[in-house]
Amino acid sequence: MKYLRVELRYPPELMHPIHRLIDESDAIERDVLVQGTVFGEPDDTFLFYVEGDIDVYTDALRSVDRIREFDVTRIDESGHYVFLTQRRDGADDATFDPLQRTGVVVVPPIDFRPNGIARLTAIGNGGPLREALAGLPERIDTTVLRIGEYDWRQHLFDPELTDRQFDALAAAVESGYYDAPREATVEEVAARIDASASTASEHLRKAESAVMTAFMELREVS
């Protein structure tokens, strides 16, 4: 059973208004669709994880007519869960209907990022997966980031890092920052990614936290 890690890049006319907010505002750092229920009814229900200024996010929700209702639960200083119900529209159907077919399962989460990007994982067999990707609107630029045999334990240990956090982590490994004894300084890592030492250090701390959290969660379920 194969899995695909796919990146979808939406043109502005197909972007959800909230996804567009991520592009237009620096207030929202991350918007992740954790889970959703779609049963063919006029309304869908979703659970999102949001990092950033939640007031900006909720103001945007109130401005979108198709958002029926929502509820916010604070997790920590910058992280919140947003539970919402919305009316589906034609753009949603065009985007997600091809992925809702026999032989294909989309595995949450779906990570919405700047520049109209959404990243998701789909599992299934070769034929249905190819048909699902082929059925997406031509205006959506589709890139397959990874492909392989699906292992749910491996999928659990798949920390979602920002591009800059991944770059910093990769630079640190390549330069010997994690060797014992250490072969590189944070300043050398920073030079590799064209950032200040303080910025590189912050990227590394957040990346390390995400990796270790994912690892411990994997240990708990194994």
Side-chain angles (χ1 to χ4, degrees), residues 7-222:
E7 179 177 281
L8 307 178
R9 187 183 295 269
Y10 293 78
E13 65 271 19
L14 288 183
M15 290 171 60
H16 190 284
I18 302 302
H19 195 180
R20 194 174 298 118
L21 168 70
I22 301 172
D23 275 0
E24 297 174 350
S25 173
D26 294 331
I28 307 302
E29 299 174 9
R30 194 173 183 195
D31 184 28
V32 182
L33 174 58
V34 178
Q35 191 56 273
T37 56
V38 181
F39 295 115
E41 300 297 331
D43 295 341
D44 298 328
T45 301
F46 298 115
L47 176 65
F48 285 89
Y49 169 72
V50 179
E51 282 186 0
D53 189 331
I54 196 63
D55 292 331
V56 172
Y57 193 87
T58 54
D59 285 345
L61 289 177
R62 294 187 185 96
S63 70
V64 179
D65 290 340
R66 48 189 296 222
I67 303 295
R68 303 292 197 186
E69 57 185 357
F70 65 87
D71 184 58
V72 176
T73 301
R74 179 174 177 172
I75 304 171
D76 52 34
E77 184 175 341
S78 63
H80 298 76
Y81 284 125
V82 178
F83 188 75
L84 65 83
T85 300
Q86 72 170 17
R87 185 182 70 254
R88 199 183 320 167
D89 70 0
D92 291 338
D93 292 338
T95 300
F96 292 106
D97 279 0
L99 300 173
Q100 295 171 3
R101 65 177 61 226
T102 301
V104 174
V105 174
V106 175
V107 181
I110 300 176
D111 197 358
F112 293 96
R113 301 188 176 207
N115 301 315
I117 287 174
R119 290 182 179 174
L120 59 87
T121 300
I123 64 173
N125 293 316
L129 285 173
R130 286 192 296 270
E131 293 169 2
L133 295 183
L136 292 170
E138 292 183 359
R139 290 174 292 172
I140 296 177
D141 184 22
T142 304
T143 303
V144 177
L145 302 174
R146 294 197 299 272
I147 182 171
E149 292 295 327
Y150 183 73
D151 184 333
W152 72 275
R153 297 166 300 177
Q154 184 184 51
H155 178 70
L156 287 175
F157 188 62
D158 188 15
E160 289 289 345
L161 307 178
T162 67
D163 291 340
R164 292 296 282 166
Q165 288 167 7
F166 181 86
D167 290 344
L169 201 59
V173 172
E174 291 168 2
S175 65
Y177 180 79
Y178 291 113
D179 289 355
R182 181 165 286 174
E183 297 291 336
T185 66
V186 71
E187 287 79 11
E188 291 172 295
V189 174
R192 282 175 173 253
I193 63 171
D194 192 24
S196 67
S198 61
T199 297
S201 179
E202 181 179 2
H203 287 325
L204 287 176
R205 284 197 303 272
K206 290 183 177 179
E208 291 161 2
S209 176
V211 169
M212 294 310 297
T213 298
F215 175 74
M216 292 308 298
E217 289 174 349
L218 175 63
R219 293 279 296 178
E220 289 172 1
V221 300
S222 297

